Amino acid sequence: MTSGLWELVLKGVWVTIQLLVFSALLGAAVSFVVGVARTHRLWIVRFLAGLYTEVFRGTSALVMIFWVFFVLPIAFGWQLVPLWAGTLALGLTYGAYGSEIVRGALSAVDPAQREGGIALSFSPWQRMKLILLPQAVPEMIPPFSNLLVELLKGTALVSVMGMGDLTFSGNLVRLALQESAEIYTYILLIYFVIAFLLTRLMRGLEKSLKARVGKAPKKKTAAVRVPEGSGVS
């Protein structure tokens, strides 16, 4: 490819990374707010959070992108640029999946930990901040890592809006060169490299968080064999 076409692909990579970061931040915020709400003591809060989760898990991310970009301006008069339309649609959709990760991790914390917080007269917010989240967050990292990779692949859906992400830019290069196999192989490799870096980053974050709560791998100690007849019982 010529330098101009490579520049087009690199611009697409930058747009994809921007969309990934913004969508991940929105999705993480939604995940924690809705996930914590799923464990709330009030049934109405749990019901509304569960309703949100079911609605956004049960709808297509592609249709959601169409709805935000094409229907929202007609219904409410809010015209979003493609980047923010994609961020909103992907963040809300993948945030629904992430909320189940948060809910499951919080529910998996030993009930004795909650009881200890109650015994210490901690408020619900203090129990969540000081006891539950520090233990639950490290357990969320592996499934969140998988969800982040899925979000990366989901960013390709924004190409239907004509947004110049990696997939859209790669398709333009393919049309210019009429070489599908070569171009799409490059695109696959670029997605793989980004996903590989994300998983490595999340794995490092997981180790760091677990070390802070005392869950770092323990060093193995060699067993001492006592000779027979030594008189040691």
Side-chain angles (χ1 to χ4, degrees):
M1 290 192 296
T2 63
S3 60
L5 294 178
W6 273 116
E7 183 178 353
L8 180 62
V9 172
L10 292 177
K11 287 182 178 179
V13 172
W14 174 238
V15 171
T16 294
I17 292 175
Q18 283 183 294
L19 181 62
L20 174 65
V21 171
F22 294 145
S23 300
L25 291 175
L26 176 60
V30 171
S31 297
F32 277 92
V33 171
V34 178
V36 171
R38 294 289 304 275
T39 64
H40 201 275
R41 65 181 184 276
L42 296 179
W43 73 267
I44 185 62
V45 177
R46 297 196 304 271
F47 173 78
L48 293 175
L51 179 63
Y52 168 85
T53 301
E54 294 302 326
V55 168
F56 280 87
R57 280 196 313 178
T59 53
S60 166
L62 179 60
V63 176
M64 187 61 64
I65 290 174
F66 277 126
W67 196 90
V68 172
F69 191 64
F70 295 108
V71 178
L72 199 62
I74 298 175
F76 302 100
W78 300 338
Q79 180 64 60
L80 298 176
V81 298
L83 177 62
W84 299 122
T87 296
L88 182 61
L90 293 175
L92 293 178
T93 300
Y94 284 87
Y97 291 98
S99 67
E100 280 296 283
I101 296 174
V102 174
R103 183 197 62 80
L106 290 174
S107 300
V109 175
D110 190 346
Q113 300 290 329
R114 301 172 184 267
E115 295 170 3
I118 295 174
L120 293 172
S121 300
F122 284 177
S123 67
W125 167 244
Q126 287 176 319
R127 293 198 298 270
M128 181 66 64
K129 178 183 178 183
L130 301 176
I131 298 176
L132 300 180
L133 283 178
Q135 297 182 64
V137 168
E139 306 303 325
M140 300 177 194
I141 300 301
F144 266 133
S145 178
N146 291 333
L147 190 62
L148 188 60
V149 173
E150 288 296 324
L151 175 58
L152 169 64
K153 294 185 286 186
T155 58
L157 297 174
V158 301
S159 59
V160 299
M161 298 185 295
M163 185 175 173
D165 70 314
L166 177 57
T167 300
F168 186 82
S169 301
N171 191 49
L172 292 180
V173 175
R174 181 190 67 83
L175 294 174
L177 298 179
Q178 295 297 314
E179 295 179 359
S180 299
E182 179 183 357
I183 300 305
Y184 284 131
T185 299
Y186 287 146
I187 300 303
L188 284 175
L189 289 175
I190 293 173
Y191 274 115
F192 171 77
V193 170
I194 298 175
F196 180 80
L197 294 176
L198 287 175
T199 54
R200 291 290 139 182
L201 178 64
M202 294 296 284
R203 188 168 299 178
L205 179 61
E206 178 188 3
K207 291 181 179 178
S208 175
L209 290 175
K210 286 190 174 182
R212 292 182 182 180
V213 295
K215 292 186 177 181
K218 297 181 180 179
K219 295 182 179 180
K220 294 183 179 180
T221 57
V224 179
R225 185 173 181 270
V226 179
E228 294 182 5
S230 61
V232 178
S233 57

